[in-house]
Amino acid sequence: MERTQQHRQVAHMRQSLFDQGLLDEQFVQLEELQDDANPNFVEEVVTLFYRDSARLVLNIDQALDKSPLDFSKLDSYMHQFKGSASSIGAKKVKSECTLFREYCKAGNGEGCMKTFQQLKKDYAVLRKKLETYFQVIFHSLLFDKDGEN
Amino acid sequence: MNLGSGQGSMSTASSSGAWKAGDVVPDQFPAGLRVLVVDDDPTCLMILEKMLRTCLYEVTKCNRAETALSLLRGNKSGFDIVISDVHMPDMDGFKLLEHIGLEMDLPVIMMSADDGKHVVMKGVTHGACDYLIKPVRIEALKNIWQHVVRKRKNEWKDLEQSGSVEDGDRQQKPSEDVDYSSSANEGNWKNSKRRKDEEDDAEERDDTSTLKKPRVVWSVELHQQFVAAVNQLGIDKAVPKKILELMNVPGLTRENVASHLQKYRLYLRRLSGVSQHQSGLNNSFMGPQDATFGPISSLNGLDLQTLAVAGQLPAQSLATLQAAGLGRSTGKSGLPMPLVDQRNLFSFEAPKFRYGEGQQQQQQLSNSSKQMNLLHGIPTTMEPKQLATLRQSAQSFGSINMQVNAHGNDSSSLLMQMAQPHSRAQILNETTGNHVSRITSSMGQPVLSNGIAGGLLTRNVIVENGRGAGFNPVSQGPSVVEFPMNHTAELPGNSFPLGTNPGISSIQSKGLLEEVSSEIKGSRGFVSSYDIFNELHQPKSQDWELQNVGLTFNASQHANSIPGNLGVSPSVLVHQVFSSGQKSGQNMNTPVVSKAMFSVGAGSEHGNTHNISQHLNTLVDSSLRVKTEKILDPSCEITPFPEHYVQEDLMSALLKQQQEGIGPVEGEFDFDGYPMDNIPV
């Protein structure tokens, strides 16, 4: 029962992440890659993403502080960031990246900054939610291990 | 084909040998495919690795292009296919693509989050065998083995064709699909590859990339001399014996010259072929895989229409084109490629092209079959008309550029991109590839490559544009440039379009191309002499020799200027390369070209410095190659297509070379550094 509940909780959480538009099909790809050889693959990838993209976020922040704005550099950073985010299936963050790039192309500094603020928020929210999600999974596994409790 | 069961069998581990050795167990095919994946993004790299392993491939990952190149160079036959990201900090993915194409002739798949048409086109023109949009799905990776099989099959076919005939035959490479089915089948492809190797050994063409016989190193200087001799005699009358006499280089044999000539002809042919599209010259450019050389032939006229078409080619059609192109181009048919074929060219018909080119070679050249292979797409036999056309096109490059600019279309925009930065290219026109090689050498090799490439690019660009692929321009500029190098090589004579090797980017001077190709890989089939480069690369010292040769050549001239040049811009370098041949005015062109080429890419490339050195290597004639290789080694892998090179790279490359070891150079030229035994002739 506990186990079932745990599983249901996991499933529910997972579904809501998709429903809220935070994750897309690519995340499912990651889940499918997870196997016995890499049982925590998804979590590892997400962790790696957040760790690696932190520097990009920092770079972009710094670049946005400069004046005048170097749009091509910003665009380049964002391109990298977008590639990374899309590889983990971060749907909302990815769309913000796209928007940011459009502002870059248009040379719209304001737009860039606003978009980036929003992007950082969504990026942080997603991280939290995923952390919680992984914890719930972890707990559910504990229950599994212990057998029926 | 028997694919399927690969999934079930967990024999991935064993496969490393399986693929090569031909012992592949059919059931496991394509399990064990050895993939090298390059991406600076660790997240993507981790995901890709996992996906590839799930496909039962053997995966090696690296996050830097240079690392990838050194891995590949260190183990030439250690990988079956390479997957690379487009945007990387240390080297542009397209440059890496060029290098790999030139040196190792492996199929390369590009990936990017960028799905813009231009970028995809750039991939095509640079000879990528596929282009994946990120995020990559595992389904997309499951079928990458097809590229390996296809390439081997084509190479094999090319070998056969080129091996058996003189130049003329080569051109005709009918699209035989005979081997296809067999090669596609379990392990057959391996056999075909092996056969190719055997053939290479047995036949005169000793240029198979698989062979590693020591070959004469065609330094930039040497190549320039060669080109001068050829021009003096007239391309039609240029026979190895006479060329040899004119060159008067001790230690050089007729065979060396013959094989080099073969490659050169291919290069020229390729150049003119690109323009054929426009001028009807038809060089059967088979669109080397790596570098869509084919398009270059239509240098003569920017075929904007083609370009437009090209521009519109969706990535998806790449495969189609490829297939189409494969069928066609393989035949080395030095034949005029119809527009359609040209498109295929984009798709990577490099391998075919190579062989085809060889066909045009003269009989003497046939000996240099090996060389021909190197030439990949270098139209060795450049018909006078073609040459003229190229020249004209080169000259009109400037105007073309204008024209290109005029067209705002997507496709043309590509060209335009190319064209624009190519004001230099115009200069190229002047040089018209006469002394591309020269230029390169003067630049201190790195330059050469740039210059040549630049020059080539411009040529190519023009041609390409015509093709529709805007070969050069297409890729956003610089990248294209690189590639065109190969093509450009075909441009009037000087640049030896290695053609087949995208990376080779028609090495500026003809010699370069050859040399480049040789470096790039024996497989390229570039001329056996080019193999020297390959070999040279291996032993650093040797490389230096070659490089030095080129360097010395250039060094003396430009040693000082080079550093300056590097910063200057590829065009300058190119200039040198080109100008070497032409001598004075040329400098201008070359650099321009390279610049154009590079600049095109330069703009986009951030890591040009690295590239430059890399590029330089490629650009530079074989000798340059050698050098560049050397130079690059320290800094980065030589990227055949010095997109970035143009400016910074050249300089740095040059500088490096000089620093590294120009030493033997002086003496080298006397072929100390030339492993002459391979002369295919």
Side-chain angles (χ1 to χ4, degrees):
Chain A
M1 266 86 72
E2 287 291 349
R3 185 200 276 173
T4 312
Q5 267 180 10
Q6 288 292 335
H7 287 185
R8 252 197 258 130
Q9 194 176 2
V10 169
H12 180 75
M13 265 205 90
R14 179 183 177 279
Q15 191 53 44
S16 79
L17 288 171
F18 284 97
D19 292 343
Q20 291 168 47
L22 298 180
L23 295 177
D24 62 24
E25 171 61 25
Q26 187 62 19
F27 190 80
V28 178
Q29 289 263 312
L30 298 188
E31 290 176 321
E32 286 173 356
L33 286 173
Q34 191 157 291
D35 56 15
D36 289 343
N38 296 94
N40 302 312
F41 183 71
V42 184
E43 186 175 357
E44 285 167 12
V45 172
V46 170
T47 303
L48 179 57
F49 164 71
Y50 274 98
R51 185 159 19 107
D52 182 64
S53 59
R55 78 177 158 82
L56 270 175
V57 171
L58 184 63
N59 288 344
I60 297 174
D61 261 333
Q62 288 173 348
L64 281 172
D65 270 344
K66 294 205 165 72
S67 177
L69 290 178
D70 183 346
F71 288 109
S72 82
K73 198 176 199 186
L74 282 169
D75 185 69
S76 168
Y77 283 140
M78 190 48 79
H79 173 88
Q80 293 176 54
F81 186 81
K82 180 182 173 188
S84 243
S86 67
S87 71
I88 67 156
K91 186 175 181 180
K92 192 150 198 286
V93 171
K94 178 184 176 181
S95 68
E96 256 135 36
C97 292
T98 305
L99 184 59
F100 183 95
R101 292 188 79 196
E102 309 220 328
Y103 279 125
C104 278
K105 289 199 186 89
N108 184 338
E110 266 302 307
C112 282
M113 288 190 220
K114 278 210 195 113
T115 305
F116 193 61
Q117 295 312 311
Q118 184 58 42
L119 187 154
K120 280 195 287 186
K121 282 202 193 112
D122 291 332
Y123 169 80
V125 162
L126 177 66
R127 177 191 216 151
K128 262 219 152 121
K129 294 203 169 178
L130 285 174
E131 277 171 4
T132 308
Y133 174 61
F134 292 133
Q135 274 172 21
V136 170
I137 290 178
F138 175 71
H139 283 131
S140 74
L141 293 177
L142 284 181
F143 273 93
D144 274 355
K145 277 195 203 133
D146 295 346
E148 300 289 349
N149 279 359
Chain B
M1 287 244 336
N2 181 358
L3 306 179
S5 13
Q7 309 288 344
S9 53
M10 313 244 275
S11 50
T12 318
S14 53
S15 8
S16 58
W19 277 84
K20 295 174 64 160
D23 305 326
V24 98
V25 177
D27 286 349
Q28 293 167 8
F29 180 89
L33 190 70
R34 295 156 310 152
V35 184
L36 175 66
V37 62
V38 190
D39 192 337
D40 65 309
D41 182 336
T43 310
C44 292
L45 205 56
M46 182 177 179
I47 296 173
L48 280 170
E49 185 191 17
K50 181 66 185 165
M51 284 180 172
L52 290 166
R53 287 204 203 275
T54 303
C55 295
L56 299 183
Y57 296 149
E58 268 190 26
V59 186
T60 304
K61 56 179 184 182
C62 50
N63 60 358
R64 279 167 56 81
E66 291 170 14
T67 312
L69 270 177
S70 51
L71 272 175
L72 288 165
R73 287 188 181 135
N75 185 3
K76 292 255 162 137
S77 49
F79 297 99
D80 297 308
I81 189 165
V82 179
I83 301 180
S84 171
D85 188 35
V86 168
H87 297 268
M88 290 187 287
D90 66 327
M91 186 195 302
D92 179 43
F94 293 115
K95 273 205 200 141
L96 176 64
L97 167 59
E98 288 178 0
H99 274 307
I100 296 176
L102 281 173
E103 299 177 37
M104 293 117 207
D105 194 24
L106 286 177
V108 181
I109 295 177
M110 301 304 294
M111 333 172 260
S112 178
D114 196 346
D115 58 353
K117 200 193 312 182
H118 292 187
V119 182
V120 177
M121 177 58 77
K122 198 170 173 181
V124 176
T125 56
H126 278 61
C129 61
D130 204 350
Y131 190 101
L132 304 176
I133 308 291
K134 285 181 171 179
V136 177
R137 294 175 64 89
I138 194 170
E139 290 79 20
L141 297 176
K142 281 194 176 136
N143 288 329
I144 61 174
W145 58 265
Q146 65 175 294
H147 301 295
V148 179
V149 174
R150 186 179 295 119
K151 196 170 182 98
R152 302 253 169 124
K153 171 172 112 51
N154 291 338
E155 283 178 353
W156 185 62
K157 263 208 235 167
D158 286 344
L159 275 177
E160 278 195 325
Q161 295 199 348
S162 55
S164 54
V165 239
E166 310 280 337
D167 310 344
D169 287 321
R170 267 197 228 237
Q171 302 179 0
Q172 333 234 313
K173 213 175 194 190
S175 26
E176 318 105 313
D177 286 307
V178 283
D179 307 314
Y180 202 107
S181 52
S182 60
S183 16
N185 293 342
E186 25 237 55
N188 280 2
W189 61 270
K190 287 210 267 202
N191 294 334
S192 54
K193 173 146 179 82
R194 274 214 265 166
R195 258 166 77 188
K196 176 171 82 145
D197 293 347
E198 291 167 358
E199 286 182 3
D200 287 340
D201 289 335
E203 312 208 356
E204 344 194 277
R205 330 181 235 172
D206 26 10
D207 127 8
T208 9
S209 44
T210 54
L211 294 183
K212 289 284 189 239
K213 299 194 220 166
R215 297 176 191 275
V216 170
V217 174
W218 281 88
S219 67
V220 172
E221 242 186 40
L222 192 59
H223 181 70
Q224 285 174 359
Q225 280 182 293
F226 168 84
V227 171
V230 168
N231 290 336
Q232 201 174 320
L233 293 167
I235 191 70
D236 282 347
K237 295 213 176 89
V239 292
K241 192 162 174 210
K242 291 204 181 129
I243 297 173
L244 186 65
E245 282 166 16
L246 275 178
M247 285 174 72
N248 194 21
V249 174
L252 192 61
T253 71
R254 194 192 74 83
E255 287 76 16
N256 296 141
V257 174
S259 73
H260 191 76
L261 180 60
Q262 202 175 40
K263 290 186 192 160
Y264 185 63
R265 287 224 176 92
L266 275 176
Y267 164 69
L268 292 179
R269 203 149 35 91
R270 199 185 300 228
L271 286 180
S272 69
V274 174
S275 51
Q276 271 182 9
H277 185 64
Q278 320 195 341
S279 56
L281 279 187
N282 286 4
N283 280 332
S284 38
F285 240 170
M286 307 246 287
Q289 280 196 351
D290 311 349
T292 41
F293 242 3
I296 301 199
S297 20
S298 40
L299 271 181
N300 288 327
L302 282 181
D303 189 346
L304 290 173
Q305 287 183 350
T306 313
L307 187 61
V309 172
Q312 328 247 331
L313 290 179
Q316 301 162 0
S317 56
L318 282 179
T320 313
L321 285 179
Q322 247 183 353
L326 287 176
R328 268 219 226 218
S329 36
T330 25
K332 294 199 211 194
S333 18
L335 335 159
M337 303 264 300
L339 189 50
V340 176
D341 290 337
Q342 290 174 358
R343 273 209 261 157
N344 291 331
L345 291 178
F346 288 124
S347 350
F348 331 109
E349 300 196 319
K352 299 194 235 183
F353 192 74
R354 294 194 277 206
Y355 290 102
E357 302 287 331
Q359 291 172 6
Q360 295 196 350
Q361 312 291 330
Q362 291 172 11
Q363 311 182 355
Q364 301 153 355
L365 294 177
S366 56
N367 287 333
S368 41
S369 53
K370 284 192 202 163
Q371 294 179 349
M372 289 209 5
N373 294 336
L374 288 181
L375 285 182
H376 297 317
I378 294 187
T380 345
T381 44
M382 182 73 150
E383 267 108 24
K385 251 199 251 174
Q386 292 174 353
L387 279 173
T389 309
L390 286 174
R391 293 217 173 92
Q392 289 169 10
S393 47
Q395 303 188 349
S396 51
F397 192 83
S399 55
I400 293 181
N401 289 339
M402 310 288 271
Q403 294 172 15
V404 175
N405 294 331
H407 294 267
N409 342 345
D410 283 0
S411 47
S412 48
S413 61
L414 287 178
L415 288 176
M416 289 180 52
Q417 290 176 7
M418 291 280 311
Q420 287 168 359
H422 308 303
S423 46
R424 318 244 189 128
Q426 298 181 3
I427 303 187
L428 256 195
N429 293 333
E430 299 173 5
T431 39
T432 316
N434 287 327
H435 303 281
V436 173
S437 48
R438 231 181 280 204
I439 299 183
T440 46
S441 43
S442 51
M443 288 294 310
Q445 318 241 323
V447 177
L448 280 178
S449 34
N450 289 329
I452 298 195
L456 292 177
L457 288 176
T458 38
R459 298 224 190 131
N460 291 331
V461 175
I462 303 191
V463 175
E464 298 279 351
N465 293 330
R467 284 305 190 95
F471 187 75
N472 302 326
V474 174
S475 21
Q476 304 190 333
S479 23
V480 175
V481 171
E482 304 267 304
F483 218 70
M485 298 265 311
N486 292 333
H487 296 293
T488 44
E490 304 198 304
L491 288 180
N494 287 319
S495 32
F496 214 110
L498 289 185
T500 39
N501 299 320
I504 304 207
S505 44
S506 43
I507 302 215
Q508 306 141 4
S509 31
K510 304 211 196 137
L512 286 180
L513 287 178
E514 295 191 350
E515 299 183 327
V516 173
S517 46
S518 53
E519 280 190 337
I520 299 217
K521 40 182 67 298
S523 55
R524 273 309 189 141
F526 253 67
V527 184
S528 45
S529 56
Y530 293 121
D531 287 350
I532 294 182
F533 285 108
N534 287 320
E535 298 174 330
L536 288 175
H537 282 303
Q538 325 270 330
K540 287 265 179 145
S541 56
Q542 288 185 354
D543 287 351
W544 274 113
E545 295 183 338
L546 287 180
Q547 293 179 342
N548 289 330
V549 178
L551 283 178
T552 31
F553 185 81
N554 299 321
S556 53
Q557 302 172 7
H558 307 272
N560 302 328
S561 53
I562 293 183
N565 289 334
L566 286 178
V568 177
S569 55
S571 54
V572 174
L573 289 176
V574 171
H575 216 23
Q576 301 196 343
V577 174
F578 281 105
S579 53
S580 338
Q582 305 202 349
K583 297 213 194 176
S584 42
Q586 313 294 335
N587 293 331
M588 290 299 290
N589 296 339
T590 341
V592 172
V593 178
S594 53
K595 203 171 192 173
M597 298 200 308
F598 300 109
S599 51
V600 179
S604 51
E605 319 251 335
H606 307 292
N608 295 343
T609 36
H610 267 309
N611 295 327
I612 294 190
S613 45
Q614 296 174 356
H615 294 301
L616 287 178
N617 294 336
T618 37
L619 287 178
V620 176
D621 274 339
S622 38
S623 59
L624 284 179
R625 284 220 193 174
V626 177
K627 290 197 196 177
T628 40
E629 293 275 352
K630 288 203 86 148
I631 297 185
L632 290 181
D633 288 334
S635 54
C636 47
E637 306 284 72
I638 298 188
T639 50
F641 292 76
E643 289 184 333
H644 304 292
Y645 281 159
V646 182
Q647 306 156 357
E648 301 156 8
D649 293 334
L650 287 176
M651 296 282 295
S652 50
L654 288 173
L655 289 173
K656 277 195 194 167
Q657 289 182 353
Q658 296 178 6
Q659 291 167 6
E660 299 208 344
I662 302 203
V665 182
E666 308 292 345
E668 297 309 339
F669 206 85
D670 283 335
F671 308 98
D672 289 357
Y674 299 101
M676 313 237 298
D677 55 20
N678 286 321
I679 314 261
V681 178

